[in-house]
Amino acid sequence: MRQSYARSRSLRVGPQILAAGAATGPLAGTSTVVKDLFAIAGHRIGAGNPDWLAAARVESSHAWAVKRWTDAGASVIGISHSDELAFSLSGTNVHYGTPVNPAAPEHVPGGSSSGSAAAVAAGLVDYALATDTAGSTRVPASYCGTFGIRTTHGRIPMTGVVPLAPFVDTVGVLAATGEAMQRAATVLLKPGARPQVAAASPTEIVLATDLLALADSDTAAAVTAAARGLADVAGIPVTETTLAGVDTLADWQQRFSARQMTDIWATHGTWVTSRHPHLGPGVTSRMRQAAAADPEQARLAEEGRAMVREKIESTIPSGGVLAFATASGPAPRIDLPGTAKAELRSRTIAMTCVAGLGGLPAVSLPLSTVSGLPVGVCLVAHPGDDEMLLAAATVADRMLAPTRRVKP
């Protein structure tokens, strides 16, 4: 598999040693790539846009997360492509091209951590650094058939990372196996809010029927079957619930979008208006929406975060996880018309924004397929329960083991 990475077009820089890892540590002897938002000493951050790259300074130090990995023994061998400013879920960058989705070459890899997902799926590295705002780790993990975790908001410092919407931005990790993701992410996680479940696997899986209903029917069926299979392997019960209902889910999405757009314009508006950068059509359209966003609506997100967390606390038992589809369906074809892509994107964000608005940890597990294309199972947990989700990913390894055996 490692010989296929050259065809994935996943890197802006590399593969070559950009930052050597320490000789000892939990990640010693491994290599990784990092999304083109993270500072690497001696290199410039490109943020998926040539105009940004041209004006960027050479970084004098690593981003916090990069330094944690190199101190733990990981060597950085590449800077992976990102959607422009991380403001997309498709992975189709008009400037650098679309990284090839090794699991479905005619389909998008997902964004905005497209290069990191493609590099992992193609076998260049076992794990990679990403970010997640509206699903930028989880969606490419689902589309490319890898593991991916969005960490609890604030548990991993974003120092040295180009922001998009700070209220919801988090560090993410993509990996080929649950064990690799657990090892790599554990190095990054600062002490959590719920240490009583830090090393435990989930004790219950709760299927969110209203969130599953947002996905295509065949995707919902495949994810439901896979979640029940995971529960069987783990020896835990499965229950069903309506998390919030159609109207409340729509309200959460509106609150999420209002804050995301306001934050994005506060973060990048001055650069856009002063530099007039060349942006792709999709990013240009969304940036116009951000420019027109009402800052007064941003306060709705704080209320929304409290609402989501209260609902999770009252619905999901301690030690339990909420399960539904990571995305509304498998990766769409690259040539799918823009209107159809927009509809899929809207339904997907309606699902991903639950963790985003709530600041919750979430994993995507590559446990299901639809018509031969990967479809991720998303597990969302209480804030601070990142380690429990990582433990669940290692259980998923056992479920996938038969498909990974080398045939004689």
Side-chain angles (χ1 to χ4, degrees), residues 201-207 222-240 319-323 365 367 377 379 391-400:
S201 298
T203 56
E204 182 178 340
I205 291 177
V206 182
L207 285 164
V223 166
T224 297
R228 292 188 180 279
L230 180 65
D232 287 343
V233 171
I236 59 176
V238 179
T239 58
E240 295 185 359
V321 293
L322 193 72
L365 308 177
L367 297 179
V377 176
L379 303 181
T394 65
V395 175
D397 278 342
R398 301 205 306 265
M399 189 174 172
L400 291 168

Side-chain angles (χ1 to χ4, degrees), residues 263-288:
D263 271 16
I264 288 169
W265 192 249
T267 301
H268 293 303
T270 298
W271 178 73
V272 170
T273 55
S274 63
R275 293 279 302 182
H276 303 289
H278 176 208
L279 301 172
V283 176
T284 295
S285 175
R286 289 189 289 278
M287 198 61 76
R288 286 175 181 150

Side-chain angles (χ1 to χ4, degrees), residues 67-165:
K67 188 174 189 305
R68 287 285 288 187
W69 271 1
T70 56
D71 286 351
S75 292
V76 178
I77 65 167
I79 298 173
S80 57
H81 283 303
S82 168
D83 277 312
E84 294 182 272
L85 308 178
F87 200 7
S88 177
L89 283 179
S90 67
T92 52
N93 189 307
V94 299
H95 309 289
Y96 300 113
T98 302
V100 175
N101 180 345
E106 302 302 319
H107 299 249
V108 302
S112 59
S113 306
S114 54
S116 289
V120 169
L124 172 60
V125 291
D126 290 327
Y127 60 94
L129 203 51
T131 62
D132 191 299
T133 300
S136 289
T137 296
R138 292 164 286 163
V139 172
S142 180
Y143 287 176
C144 292
T146 75
F147 288 80
I149 183 168
R150 168 203 163 85
T151 54
T152 297
H153 186 261
R155 277 204 68 183
I156 300 176
M158 294 287 290
T159 308
V161 184
V162 175
L164 179 65

